[in-house]
Amino acid sequence: MPIPEKTSVTSGDIKSETSVLRLIYPQWQGGIVDHWMPDLLPEDASKGYFLGAQLLKMLAPESTAMTAEVPVSLDIRDRAVEKGISARRVIMKQTGAALDIVRENAPEKIVTLGGECSVSVVPFTYLVAKYPDDVAIVWLDAHPDVNLPYDEYKGYHAMALTACLGMGDEEIMRMLPGKVAARNALIVGLRSWDTGMRQRQQELGIKGLSPADVAEDSKAILDWLKTTGVSKVLVHFDLDVLDPAEIIAGVGVEPDGMKIAEAVRVINDIATHYELVGLTVAEFMPRIAIRMKRMLDGLPLLKD
């Protein structure tokens, strides 16, 4: 019998648990993406993930789960690179706010709607700590997201998976509740690597599957999960894993991606055989909605 969902109420020192927390996490600062979208104004492209998270919140099915939103700054000026991470100060502040929310609600499961890829870091590391040695990560993404602060690209979203492994900025790593072993992480839909990232993935021992590997069925994923010996799974769903010939939902437009039906089938197959305790949908970049918002901003009376 499924565990009934409960809402969380915090009053003074009294705290009740919630089975499922829906976390709206519109963090955009981790992405340095405007140069990939010349059809958008740089500021609109940079903050596009914020609008993407709000749209995911609106489009997602209604739920009785507790819903909480991480407060996120919209100040475009506050993006200084510190210790190899763009907007590090803001990201640390928002990381702390997200941690406060999940700890206050003490959920058993978390659904995260973002936001760029780093929105998985807080909920995943929280759940890894909650279920020690019994969690694997399946990372659906066209890219490996195993960058580190000393690499050329300074966007924190490209460091998201390594952060879940406990690798990265020392101060941020100390904030995070837990980490997963690299042998318990699998990247699915992988087909694009920045310079040196394929080698790093191999050095870390993270297995990757191409879209072709899972096009017909989910056997390769389920076989891998069996080797981990875990009972619980965290799924990160970066929308750029999808084939741009079918839909352009993320920033990346790497060809020959997964079909929507394939991605949905993979996630459902995992949930059928394992306990899915974390699900993130991330990197939604709604280009048309962003341009419509800019158009509406230019019309009279709407701001009165």
Side-chain angles (χ1 to χ4, degrees):
M1 179 180 296
I3 299 171
E5 295 174 345
K6 302 170 286 183
T7 57
S8 170
V9 178
T10 303
S11 176
D13 294 327
I14 301 172
K15 179 175 63 178
S16 62
E17 287 193 345
T18 177
S19 294
V20 180
L21 173 65
R22 182 174 289 195
L23 187 66
I24 314 303
Y25 199 165
Q27 181 162 283
W28 54 276
Q29 287 91 346
I32 306 172
V33 297
D34 57 281
H35 58 289
W36 284 312
M37 293 177 287
D39 56 317
L40 301 177
L41 294 176
E43 179 174 337
D44 291 348
S46 295
K47 294 194 289 188
Y49 291 125
F50 184 93
L51 180 58
Q54 302 301 332
L55 287 174
L56 287 175
K57 176 183 176 181
M58 181 182 72
L59 295 169
E62 291 186 7
S63 171
T64 59
M66 174 67 183
T67 299
E69 181 164 343
V70 179
V72 168
S73 170
L74 286 173
D75 189 348
I76 193 68
R77 300 166 299 176
D78 206 353
R79 306 202 71 190
V81 174
E82 299 173 354
K83 299 185 177 181
I85 300 175
S86 177
R88 177 180 178 273
R89 184 187 63 82
V90 178
I91 287 170
M92 288 186 63
K93 181 179 180 180
Q94 291 166 184
T95 295
L99 283 166
D100 287 345
I101 290 171
V102 295
R103 285 169 171 157
E104 186 174 300
N105 287 281
E108 297 168 10
K109 303 178 181 181
I110 304 175
V111 175
T112 306
L113 302 177
E116 33 81 5
C117 275
S118 68
V119 300
S120 278
V121 175
V122 166
F124 281 16
T125 58
Y126 165 84
L127 290 164
V128 167
K130 186 175 182 66
Y131 306 111
D133 303 318
D134 195 28
V135 179
I137 294 177
V138 178
W139 198 268
L140 273 66
D141 203 319
H143 312 92
D145 291 353
V146 293
N147 284 45
L148 291 167
Y150 56 76
D151 293 321
E152 181 179 359
Y153 182 67
K154 303 305 180 184
Y156 185 55
H157 69 157
M159 309 176 196
L161 182 52
T162 30
C164 292
L165 305 181
M167 302 173 62
D169 180 275
E170 290 184 5
E171 194 170 355
I172 295 176
M173 295 306 105
R174 285 197 297 269
M175 294 176 69
L176 302 177
K179 61 182 179 179
V180 72
R183 64 179 179 277
N184 282 359
L186 172 71
I187 308 170
V188 176
L190 182 59
R191 59 193 188 277
S192 178
W193 295 261
D194 289 341
T195 303
M197 293 305 107
R198 188 194 295 263
Q199 180 180 357
R200 179 170 296 155
Q201 177 200 338
Q202 293 171 346
E203 290 172 350
L204 291 173
I206 303 173
K207 183 178 175 61
L209 296 173
S210 72
D213 292 329
V214 296
E216 297 299 324
D217 56 47
S218 309
K219 184 177 184 300
I221 298 171
L222 297 177
D223 286 349
W224 175 84
L225 281 169
K226 191 180 298 183
T227 69
T228 67
V230 305
S231 69
K232 298 172 178 63
V233 180
L234 309 171
V235 172
H236 172 91
F237 184 11
D238 180 336
L239 294 178
D240 76 6
V241 79
L242 298 173
D243 191 342
E246 182 181 21
I247 184 172
I248 297 177
V251 174
V253 288
E254 305 295 340
D256 303 319
M258 296 177 69
K259 303 299 184 186
I260 294 172
E262 294 167 0
V264 171
R265 181 251 300 155
V266 159
I267 296 170
N268 275 285
D269 284 350
I270 293 169
T272 297
H273 292 84
Y274 293 84
E275 186 179 6
L276 186 64
V277 294
L279 172 64
T280 295
V281 182
E283 294 276 330
F284 183 30
M285 183 61 68
R287 288 171 169 82
I288 293 175
I290 292 167
R291 295 177 71 179
M292 287 295 295
K293 184 179 185 304
R294 174 61 63 176
M295 182 193 78
L296 293 172
D297 285 345
L299 296 180
L301 295 183
L302 290 178
K303 295 181 179 179
D304 293 347

